[in-house]
Amino acid sequence: MKIQSITLAMLAFIAAPAWSAFQEREYNTWYIKNAVLYDMTQTSEGFPVMVSISQPERRSANLLVSYISEGQCGGDRKELNVNGKALPAQYHCVQVGLSKIEHFSVIDADSVNCMVTHLKSDFTILLQNDIKVWAANIKTPKYGLTPRF
C-alpha cells in the first residue's frame, strides 16, 4: 500500500509540469509588442479568449476580441457587450465542427481607450456577460507575444 501511494505521488509530481507545458497558456497576463497589448483569458466554460488592443491611449486605438464558443454561426450581426453596454463592432464567425470562433473588432478609439483607462484603474472588464478581462499587469506588460492560442 505504501509503495502505491509513493508511486501515485511521484506520477502526480511528474505529470503536473508536463501538463502545464502541454497547455502552453498563461491566462490573465498582459504582453506588449509593436504598440499592441495582448491578453489571454477564458470564458466561464474554460474556452480561450484572446484580447488585442492596438495603439492604446491614441486616437487610432482599436480592439479585437476572439474566442471559441459552442453552437452554430448565425447570420445576424452581433455587438460586443462590454460591462453591460453594447459597442458597435464588426462581427465575423467561423464554424469549426460543433463550435465556432467569434471575432469582434471595435474601431471606436474613444470606447477602446475608455476600456484601457478602466483596466489601468485596476478594474475588471466583463465581455459578453461571460468573459472577465483582468487588469493584472496592464500597467507594466511583459514584452512579446502571448503564448499559443
Side-chain angles (χ1 to χ4, degrees):
M1 182 70 171
K2 193 174 189 178
I3 293 174
Q4 288 177 337
S5 298
I6 292 172
T7 304
L8 287 174
M10 286 299 292
L11 286 174
F13 181 75
I14 293 170
W19 176 249
S20 64
F22 173 74
Q23 283 189 337
E24 296 184 30
R25 295 186 192 116
E26 186 176 351
Y27 288 134
N28 304 318
T29 301
W30 287 95
Y31 294 83
I32 191 164
K33 186 171 183 184
N34 299 331
V36 179
L37 276 168
Y38 304 93
D39 182 38
M40 282 186 65
T41 187
Q42 57 190 347
T43 64
S44 59
E45 291 90 24
F47 291 114
V49 178
M50 179 75 155
V51 178
S52 302
I53 303 171
S54 178
Q55 305 291 323
E57 300 178 312
R58 298 185 191 265
R59 298 172 92 179
S60 57
N62 59 72
L63 167 76
L64 180 66
V65 177
S66 300
Y67 62 92
I68 299 171
S69 60
E70 295 176 339
Q72 300 292 317
C73 290
D76 58 332
R77 180 191 155 123
K78 294 189 176 184
E79 293 180 325
L80 182 64
N81 185 318
V82 179
N83 290 337
K85 179 183 173 187
L87 290 181
Q90 289 182 340
Y91 174 74
H92 185 70
C93 183
V94 178
Q95 195 68 44
V96 181
L98 298 175
S99 300
K100 59 186 173 182
I101 301 176
E102 297 182 272
H103 305 279
F104 291 90
S105 175
V106 178
I107 58 172
D108 179 22
D110 292 334
S111 297
V112 174
N113 287 329
C114 184
M115 290 174 58
V116 171
T117 301
H118 189 84
L119 286 166
K120 286 192 174 186
S121 298
D122 293 326
F123 292 106
T124 300
I125 288 179
L126 186 65
L127 301 175
Q128 303 301 84
N129 297 316
D130 180 47
I131 303 164
K132 290 183 180 177
V133 179
W134 301 93
N137 66 320
I138 194 165
K139 294 177 190 172
T140 56
K142 293 182 178 183
Y143 178 76
L145 300 175
T146 60
R148 285 194 293 165
F149 197 45

